[in-house]
Amino acid sequence: MTEIRDRATNYGAVGATAHFDFTRFPPKGFDVVQRRARIGHGRPRFDAAVAALRTWKIQRLAGIEVDVVGTEEGTVYRPVGFDGNDASRPASIEPQQDFGPDGEPFLQPGDSVDQRIRVLGFQIHAPMRVIAVEEEADSHGVIIGTLEGHPEAGEERFTIEIAEDETVFLHFRAIVREAAWWSKLGTPISKALRAKYHDRYMDVLRSIDVR
């Protein structure tokens, strides 16, 4: 079996969840999920939520096992940078420099993960890759996409936002369709399972410690 680091995405519309109008024109055959929830207040809450997002803590606290496979040991992939339509920075491999408050390395574009959940006694593997990281002063986003071998196909975008009154929100977007034959047969169960984890993402960010 192909190593996770070497697998391709199993969907074509990579980056679709970053488009401002993605709900109106989703890829054919994909369901659209869009959720927004208040998760707290204040810059410390925002910073803690961003750290949780960048270290896979959201998934782990939601009950998903996560094994991270970086681009290379101790390095990160920096994608091409653009200024308008012109490339302003070439792609490069650089030393890992960003870490969370607990010393956990921050996820970076190009990192892959093997996510695992247990359903009715069976372990389900769900490999994914970090497509993009979006860093702004008042928002921080991560897009992850499914890889070959994932029972579903699609993409998730997590964005932590802080408003002018310092209310902190999680904005979650996804496009998804069933990919594995057994997942297609159990579509109602798959949709219910997805909704359960989407609820958990909101809940864990509300309860995470703020230091």
Side-chain angles (χ1 to χ4, degrees), residues 171-183:
H171 189 184
F172 177 81
R173 293 177 166 186
I175 54 171
V176 61
R177 64 172 174 80
E178 317 308 329
W181 65 267
W182 49 267
S183 181

Side-chain angles (χ1 to χ4, degrees), residues 71-86:
T71 50
E72 290 182 20
E73 189 66 28
T75 66
V76 297
Y77 171 74
R78 302 289 186 186
V80 174
F82 287 90
D83 181 6
N85 294 323
D86 300 323

